Amino acid sequence: MLTGRSPSTRSDDRVRPDVAVVGAGPIGLAIAWRCAARGLRVEVHDPASGSGASAVAAGMLSPVAEAYFGERQLTGLLLASAARWPAFAAELTEATGAEFGYRTEGTLMVGLTGDDLAEARRLWAYQQGLGLPVTPLRPTELRDREPALAPRVRGGALAPTDHQVDPRLLVPALRTAARRSGAVLVPQPVRHLSEVDARITVVAAGCGAAALTGLPVRPVKGQVLRLRAPDGVAPGFRHVIRGYADGEQVYLVPRVDGEVVLGATVEERSDTTVTAGAVLRLLRAGVDLLPELAEYDLVEAVAGLRPGTPDNAPILGPLPGRPDVLAATGHHRHGIVLTPVTADLIADLVTTGVPDPLLAPFRPDRFSSNSPESTGAVGVGGLAGSGAVGVGDRTMEED
Ligand SMILES: Cc1cc2nc3c(=O)[nH]c(=O)nc-3n(C[C@H](O)[C@H](O)[C@H](O)COP(=O)(O)OP(=O)(O)OC[C@H]3O[C@@H](n4cnc5c(N)ncnc54)[C@H](O)[C@@H]3O)c2cc1C
């Protein structure tokens, strides 16, 4: 348990930190902010803060639209984190005065063809069965809300509590908040955990966590396009739109400054090449759903690497046999929405030494063959009645 700043010094005369965070993406920075705000001495190591998955991410805060079959424990954590977002955003604004694109208009989920709608309805029925707020809308109701939707769109549903934030603005805001709370940013990589000298080390290095810890975090490539409405105006739609279009799943995220993020592929690859085929599929599906996009400027085509895990859920807690090293990684498609809950629970663990029950399904040792989780001995987290740790059973996924 860490309750205050450690007075100890190390051989180079710098004061030994209480907490060293490896990785200054959204997860590492938010943990650093929370720990420093509790009076702990914090260092954050990263040669290129914000250059990981967050530099590409769309920033959807979508626990409802992303409640997928077989992922009930993850859904529980997503909901817990989304519930913390309003207060987290208010605190971040208060701490920094920064604008980071937090918007609460909600998410429209749509199906272009009859087959697309049938596919979408299966998922909405599952989400409604969990008690989540998903309101089916007739085509006329859809177009009342978003007149820019294509007349061909057959139907949809509203997830009013699924919001968005701009990760490219969020990360600098978190950096400012962490610094103002007293965290020190060290612009160097950590190549081995033995290089870090702190009472507690938190590994929040996204895909970089695998090399440092041996945890099963793998890169999952996502290609994304950024378009911009002409003449500097805002896009002609306000909701996040997630759609099935002739079998392709895409999302469109409108920003107030005119940008639209159109994504994303999900590929088991570790390169960041942008391919013509992916650009073609994303644009075709996007324009089919919102024809006005054809007139937008195409300003960026980029690929990033999500830190994926075998069960699509994050890895949170002490490494097996290393109570002084905490993992906060493997956030895969959900690192932006999961930022508040991860930061709070890891900061609690650092300061009290006691894991919150919410962390139980996400322990690093769940992938070991003799772990309590794999032998069925650990209780259930998240939504009531959940079974084993969720394993994604979709053939296609979105962020
Ligand atoms: C295409 C795409 C779309 C996405 N859309 C969404 C979305 O809509 N909503 C959502 O919630 N999530 C989304 N995500 C996922 C989200 O971006 C990630 O889950 C999130 O960025 C993870 O945060 P992180 O801080 O753990 O890792 P990252 O953002 O990857 O940051 C890791 C940091 O660690 C640093 N680092 C790595 N190795 C080392 C080392 N050895 N030493 C020091 N520093 C190191 C890197 O430089 C980097 O700054 C998306 C991701 C992609 C790729």
Side-chain angles (χ1 to χ4, degrees), residues 4 61 79 99 172 221 289 303 347 371:
L61 310 174
L79 290 166
E99 160 59 33
K221 177 178 173 181
L289 294 172
S371 75

Side-chain angles (χ1 to χ4, degrees), residues 170-224:
L170 174 68
V171 169
L174 287 170
R175 211 158 38 226
T176 301
R179 279 199 174 114
R180 286 189 180 167
S181 296
V184 175
L185 269 69
V186 182
Q188 303 290 336
V190 171
R191 293 189 181 81
H192 194 278
L193 289 182
S194 62
E195 294 170 12
V196 181
D197 181 21
R199 292 163 74 194
I200 298 278
T201 300
V202 179
V203 181
C207 289
L212 291 169
T213 62
L215 289 169
V217 180
R218 70 181 196 288
V220 180
K221 177 178 173 181
Q223 299 188 52
V224 168

Side-chain angles (χ1 to χ4, degrees), residues 12 105-106 118 138 168 174 188 205 254 257 277 280 285 301 319 342 367 376:
D12 60 6
E105 287 91 339
R138 288 194 300 274
R168 289 180 174 179
L174 287 170
Q188 303 290 336
D257 69 354
L280 177 67
L319 295 189
T342 302
F367 302 112

